[in-house]
Amino acid sequence: MIEEISYPVINEELCKGCMRCIVGCPQNAIVLSQDMNDAGYQFAVYSGNGCTGCKDCYFTCPEPLALEVHQIKNIANDDVAKMIKAKVANKGGN
Ligand code: SF4
Ligand code: SF4
């Protein structure tokens, strides 16, 4: 089965917690962590589901390299697709 999986990958140490990606995500798929990074900012994290790959979060983030949107296409093996989905859901896309 061919499937497409999209998810944001946020570098928690580069995130300044401005929340633009959280407000800008039409799927409400990004949330603010209760933890702080080394610079003392609460950072954004992927909730683990809901991402459609629209990239609005990427284009609204003012911090270079803090946020990427990863897209995996044409997965022919169902088991591999399930494994990737589980990994993304468990680790918030990191
Ligand atoms: S790519 Fe779109 S749907 Fe996915 S987290 Fe970013 S803003 Fe939300
Ligand atoms: S827009 Fe960028 S800097 Fe702001 S909270 Fe999201 S990832 Fe962090």
Side-chain angles (χ1 to χ4, degrees), residues 5-11 29 44-49 51 66 68-70 72 84-94:
I5 299 171
S6 303
Y7 55 95
V9 176
I10 297 156
N11 183 321
V45 292
Y46 180 39
S47 68
N49 57 64
C51 179
E68 299 173 348
V69 176
H70 289 202
I72 303 170
I84 294 169
K85 276 187 169 175
K87 181 173 182 282
V88 171
N90 287 338
K91 298 194 174 180
N94 288 313

Side-chain angles (χ1 to χ4, degrees), residues 8 24-27 29-30 50-57 69:
C25 175
Q27 304 299 323
I30 304 177
C51 179
T52 61
C54 72
K55 304 183 188 70
D56 283 0
C57 55
V69 176

Side-chain angles (χ1 to χ4, degrees), residues 14-18 58 60-67:
L14 296 179
C15 173
K16 298 264 172 45
C18 71
Y58 172 78
T60 197
C61 178
E63 299 298 326
L65 305 179
L67 191 157

